[in-house]
Amino acid sequence: MLDPATTSRRWEAGVALALLCGAVALFLAVPTLVSGWAFTMPGTTDNALQPSFFPRAVLVLLGLAAAAVLATGRIRKDSIPLVSTPRDEWLQLLRVLATVIAYFACIRLIGFQLASMLYVPATALAVGFRRPLLVAAVALGFPVCTWAVFRYGLGVMLPSGPFG
């Protein structure tokens, strides 16, 4: 039987490898996944950011983090607490992942702003954050500010949904 440190490192390597492969696969698939989100904006040039830019940037960071876990596995003194993480923390992670998946599904249906306004309180609830006024302020302010930065600062149209 393997000692707990070896078991933990094997789990780390397996998860890191799965995340790295997933990041590469999604990086390649992103243009297809966001192809319907490309909008023509009067007054913009072909140099405007494509809808795949930001998802790909996040996937590059995820891939680099996974590669770093793989590369440093043998030289790190402490392991990442993957195996020893309590069950309730895994459930919390799954709740957050469910809100992220629902958010991405809702963006196309109801638009970026409304989906984001629903996502913020759902995620706050999933992680146990209980400050309703702060959650409401962020849920209302962050999507509007983010939309304005993308629309006017970056020249990227975010999905507006049926409310146009």
Side-chain angles (χ1 to χ4, degrees):
M1 184 147 137
L2 298 173
D3 64 284
T6 303
T7 302
S8 181
R9 290 196 192 283
R10 286 188 178 181
W11 272 100
E12 284 174 21
V15 170
L17 188 59
L19 287 173
L20 182 60
C21 291
V24 169
L26 284 172
F27 184 89
L28 296 173
V30 159
T32 304
L33 296 174
V34 299
S35 64
W37 294 1
F39 295 94
T40 304
M41 289 179 45
T44 61
T45 66
D46 289 339
N47 294 330
L49 292 175
Q50 297 296 314
S52 62
F53 174 78
F54 290 103
R56 280 187 155 181
V58 170
L59 290 168
V60 165
L61 292 175
L62 175 63
L64 290 173
V69 169
L70 286 171
T72 62
R74 292 192 182 272
I75 60 173
R76 272 185 280 115
K77 290 183 173 55
D78 294 327
S79 62
I80 298 170
L82 187 63
V83 176
S84 63
T85 301
R87 184 175 187 270
D88 60 326
E89 290 181 18
W90 283 111
L91 292 174
Q92 186 178 49
L93 175 65
L94 291 175
R95 287 192 302 268
V96 171
L97 286 175
T99 63
V100 170
I101 292 167
Y103 174 63
F104 283 124
C106 287
I107 286 177
R108 279 190 187 248
L109 298 174
I110 61 177
F112 170 79
Q113 287 186 2
L114 185 55
S116 297
M117 288 176 186
L118 296 172
Y119 170 73
V120 169
T123 303
L125 186 64
V127 299
F129 190 77
R130 304 284 189 263
R131 295 190 51 198
L133 290 177
L134 181 59
V135 170
V138 172
L140 294 173
F142 183 74
V144 173
C145 292
T146 303
W147 174 83
V149 167
F150 274 77
R151 169 72 170 90
Y152 298 110
L154 300 173
V156 175
M157 290 290 291
L158 295 172
S160 59
F163 309 110

